[in-house]
Amino acid sequence: MAKKNFKELFDPKESKWGGISLPMFLAALVVVAIVVYVPFGLDKEGNPGSFLRPNFLIMFSALAVFGLLFGEIGDRIPIWNDFIGGGTILVFFMAAVFGTYGLVPENFMKAVNIFYGKQPVNFLEMFIPALIVGSVLTVDRKTLIKSISGYIPLIIIGVIGASAGGILVGLIFGKAPMDIMMNYVLPIMGGGTGAGAVPMSEIWSAKTGRPAGEWFGFAISILSIANVFAIICGALLKRVGEAKPSLTGNGELIIDNSKEAIRDKEVEVKPELTDTTAAFILTGVLFMVSHILGEVWSGFAKSHNIDFELHRLVFLILLTMFLNIANVVPDRLKAGAKRMQTFFSKHTIWILMAAVGFTTDVKEIKAAAAFSNILIALAIVLGAVGLIMLVARKMKFYPVEAAITAGLCMANRGGAGDVAVLGAADRMDLMSFAQISSRIGGAMMLVLGSLMFGAFLK
């Protein structure tokens, strides 16, 4: 594939702005700018209104134009594209700057919050399930079975590496090992914000009798720093794989030298639009069942005083794994699921990265940006990556993919962090394993946190 360049991007005869020509893209950019920035009339509260209608189509298109603007440029900046993550990361950072420093109106920010992560839209709950179902259904059954017994131990190894790295650097700055474990390792490796830091802060509060915000404020800051390192490391691991092909499976996590495994079976079947539609409907139905199971588990956990919960995405992974292992899904439907996955992972990633960026506060990262904290967070991320890469091949995993999924996807901000890390590493097909890390791995860390807070806090 020819390398992208700026000349083609600004040639009006080319269509390099996501398939749109330069004149058409500029026209779209002007329309979006008018809708977002030009005041018009009054809203229901009597405040200045705008042309913005915060429905799915409008927000999808507005974020797409923003994503294309910085994404196409980022993919053509030499050093940035080669080492930092290209357009995907530039979209994320520019959106974060726009959101944090008020460069877009408040009504647009509210609409982004709903589009990205709140009901009734919550695009993230469409994006991640589509990737999970598409990737898990199209993994070879025998390969999938082999991964179950080996991947959870790989996550545990990553946590051990993260703990060792954090403690070693923490000792240099006079911090006690238990301080590092409870205030650095737990929030960073805990499965993100909503499913990790938030419930963990409640566990901390229950054990200490103090407000949860005391622990959460620092936890979210140190997690934000580690999340940035995880994204950058994802991009660097992509380069490592390119420089050392023996370390990567080019998107495949599991080393499988057997002749019995049939890889990419879905490419033998060309899906029709009906197959893709059916796969999308199947994804929705499975997500409904997963939500039911998640709610039932939540009630069970509360009634039995269990200090962690199983997220609905955990049940979605398990259900999809069961369907694949049981071999009850027709090949045409699997092919449709793969097509659905490709659409979301390849063609809507900049839209989601823009939404994630707008909802990311740059000030959170600055809040905990003491030199010692930065080095400790970096040591935790590198400790997880390093130890996993050392043992991965012996456990029948490719080192680069193992470090990305079992390491970096434990050390980021959950679902949104998984998207950013996998996007930077160009490994979006590994979303199912990333979700195992964030959800199941995060649940394991909640258990560990409960035990540690109970044993070492008074």
Side-chain angles (χ1 to χ4, degrees), residues 7-245:
K7 183 179 179 180
E8 64 179 7
L9 192 60
F10 295 102
D11 185 344
K13 296 181 180 179
E14 297 282 354
S15 298
K16 298 298 182 180
W17 295 90
I20 304 174
S21 66
L22 178 61
M24 289 183 67
F25 177 75
L26 291 177
L29 188 61
V30 170
V31 172
V32 170
I34 291 173
V35 168
V36 173
Y37 289 104
V38 176
F40 181 78
L42 299 174
D43 61 18
K44 295 179 180 179
E45 286 76 30
N47 300 315
S50 71
F51 293 104
L52 180 67
R53 297 182 67 233
N55 58 37
F56 181 87
L57 178 60
I58 300 302
M59 294 308 301
F60 186 92
S61 300
L63 291 169
V65 170
F66 184 94
L68 288 171
L69 174 62
F70 292 106
E72 294 292 357
I73 292 174
D75 271 355
R76 290 167 172 82
I77 300 175
I79 296 177
W80 182 271
N81 186 42
D82 292 337
F83 296 101
I84 305 301
T88 301
I89 303 305
L90 187 61
V91 171
F92 171 77
F93 280 125
M94 291 305 299
V97 170
F98 270 65
T100 301
Y101 297 105
L103 301 183
V104 288
E106 184 62 28
N107 65 331
F108 180 78
M109 287 295 295
K110 290 180 180 178
V112 170
N113 274 305
I114 295 173
F115 175 87
Y116 159 62
K118 293 183 179 180
Q119 301 300 338
V121 181
N122 201 340
F123 183 64
L124 195 64
E125 286 200 344
M126 183 186 301
F127 185 93
I128 291 180
L131 263 60
I132 290 174
V133 174
S135 57
V136 173
L137 275 185
T138 52
V139 172
D140 176 73
R141 290 175 58 245
K142 295 178 181 177
T143 302
L144 180 60
I145 293 170
K146 290 180 181 179
S147 71
I148 295 174
S149 61
Y151 190 71
I152 299 301
L154 191 67
I155 291 176
I156 295 173
I157 288 171
V159 173
I160 293 172
S163 303
I167 289 172
L168 285 175
V169 175
L171 290 173
I172 297 175
F173 294 99
K175 295 184 179 293
M178 199 49 58
D179 177 23
I180 297 296
M181 288 298 301
M182 290 190 292
N183 298 313
Y184 293 82
V185 175
L186 285 178
I188 289 175
M189 304 296 286
T193 305
V198 171
M200 199 172 289
S201 67
E202 294 299 325
I203 295 173
W204 181 89
S205 177
K207 299 297 182 183
T208 62
R210 291 148 59 187
E214 290 185 19
W215 186 86
F216 183 79
F218 181 81
I220 193 64
S221 299
I222 202 69
L223 173 57
S224 297
I225 292 174
N227 186 62
V228 172
F229 285 136
I231 295 170
I232 294 174
C233 282
L236 293 177
L237 283 173
K238 175 186 175 182
R239 299 292 297 174
V240 169
E242 293 170 351
K244 297 286 186 181

Side-chain angles (χ1 to χ4, degrees), residues 266-304:
E266 70 278 4
V267 300
E268 299 174 4
V269 179
K270 292 184 179 180
E272 302 290 340
L273 283 176
T274 52
D275 301 318
T276 306
T277 303
F280 196 72
I281 294 172
L282 175 63
T283 299
V285 172
L286 289 175
F287 199 41
M288 292 180 202
V289 177
S290 301
H291 178 69
I292 293 172
L293 294 175
E295 290 295 306
V296 171
W297 168 260
S298 179
F300 175 81
K302 288 179 180 178
S303 64
H304 290 76

